[in-house]
Amino acid sequence: MSDENPYALAERAAKSLLEQCGVSKIDAAIVLGSGWREGAVALGTPEAVVKTSSLPGFVAPTVPGHDGSILLVRVGEKNLALVSGRVHLYEGNSAHAVVHPVRTVLCAGASSVVLTNAAGGLDSLLGPGSIVMLRDHVNLTATSPLEGAVPPENYGPRFVDLSNLYDDSLRESVKRVVPTISEGVYAGVRGPHYETPAEIKMLRTMGASLVGMSTVLEAIAARHMGANVLGLSLVTNFAAGVTDEPLDHQEVLAAGKAAQRSLGALLQRVAPLL
Ligand code: HPA
């Protein structure tokens, strides 16, 4: 990512995204975490596919299953951007680089954003394949996308209120269309190592029910820009120490593939709410 002011960079990227998509505005966005890309196919054939390498400020993802592109799909009257190409702190990126895709789609007009991810489950009742809606998070990355440059005046305040980070009314709407959906608190860690059983015990004591290496910074950046945020986790494995099974990234990817249909069905119900 360049030294340019991160907000100005996102505005430039948004302009290029809209030009390449051939639309004047994005209405909502879904950031696709591990496994969710396959599910998002259910949202229909994209009207445009923009490689993130063609947009200012985007760094290339290094994680298999995270190729860098933004897909434009129409849902009803709305332009929905599907962001595939999340980058993480553990790839050596700054917090600003991690949230740049989210800032870009919000600068392009999106007023709500769904952050999806793969997560380890801390609750023995929420095993692999469970889908959990985030009620809140604990940011354990020791950083913030609001560190550094003072946000320009037309953005939210640097000391942004996160008391309704995962928007209550959006969660209520999701519960109306998917009454059985579970809710939980996501602990966001830096990784890339998985946690120790002692760390998982600590996270559970803190009130977390999920653990993962993404989402929290993007949620903060999106709220800061006034967006309604929804978080959805696919539990891909029991977190360390919950069972005797060893943890393995291939297992995370395989659980995503196995859940493709249920993720697709959920996204089809959630997309019209955005
Ligand atoms: N820990 C952290 N991140 C994860 C996990 C986990 O167990 N599973 C998927 N992402």
Side-chain angles (χ1 to χ4, degrees):
M1 204 167 165
S2 78
D3 291 339
E4 187 178 340
N5 175 290
Y7 301 95
L9 193 55
E11 284 169 23
R12 277 207 300 128
K15 192 163 172 280
S16 174
L17 174 66
L18 291 172
E19 274 167 17
Q20 294 192 58
C21 287
V23 295
S24 60
K25 184 179 180 286
I26 300 286
D27 297 298
I30 305 180
V31 178
L32 301 171
S34 297
W36 290 83
R37 166 105 194 229
E38 292 83 352
V41 169
L43 292 173
T45 309
E47 312 235 323
V49 179
V50 177
K51 291 266 166 232
T52 56
S53 55
S54 72
L55 297 170
F58 278 71
V59 293
T62 63
V63 185
H66 279 264
D67 86 318
S69 52
I70 298 182
L71 286 67
L72 182 81
V73 292
R74 288 284 292 174
V75 174
E77 294 296 295
K78 294 198 172 149
N79 290 326
L80 188 60
L82 306 178
V83 182
S84 168
R86 178 179 254 149
V87 295
H88 305 79
L89 289 173
Y90 64 71
E91 293 167 272
N93 297 305
S94 67
H96 286 292
V98 168
V99 305
H100 182 65
V102 164
R103 283 194 176 131
T104 297
V105 289
L106 295 179
C107 285
S111 54
S112 49
V113 60
V114 184
L115 302 170
T116 67
N117 60 55
L122 274 62
D123 180 341
S124 56
L125 298 176
L126 291 175
S130 307
I131 299 173
V132 183
M133 179 163 66
L134 306 199
R135 190 176 64 238
D136 206 344
H137 80 212
V138 182
N139 174 12
L140 294 169
T141 65
T143 188
S144 165
L146 303 180
E147 260 181 31
V150 181
E153 292 222 328
N154 50 334
Y155 286 77
R158 180 181 244 176
F159 302 103
V160 61
D161 175 15
L162 299 181
S163 33
N164 184 25
L165 180 52
Y166 297 92
D167 187 62
D168 279 341
S169 60
L170 205 42
R171 284 194 291 124
E172 286 310 315
S173 311
V174 173
K175 282 191 254 180
R176 269 194 293 278
V177 296
V178 191
T180 53
I181 197 159
S182 309
E183 286 190 275
V185 174
Y186 178 96
V189 295
R190 292 182 77 103
H193 51 272
Y194 290 115
E195 301 68 37
T196 64
E199 286 164 347
I200 292 300
K201 216 168 163 182
M202 172 191 76
L203 297 180
R204 197 179 290 114
T205 311
M206 286 176 164
S209 35
L210 302 157
V211 59
M213 304 172 194
S214 67
T215 303
V216 293
L217 302 182
E218 293 152 287
I220 296 166
R223 190 75 209 95
H224 173 243
M225 289 177 67
N228 295 325
V229 181
L230 180 71
L232 295 171
S233 291
L234 168 69
V235 176
T236 49
N237 56 283
F238 281 118
V242 178
T243 66
D244 294 335
E245 290 296 309
L247 273 67
D248 170 7
H249 182 62
Q250 292 312 318
E251 173 195 23
V252 170
L253 296 179
K257 286 217 165 63
Q260 179 172 347
R261 284 180 57 166
S262 53
L263 299 181
L266 178 68
L267 290 176
Q268 279 176 326
R269 285 173 168 197
V270 167
L273 309 175
L274 302 174

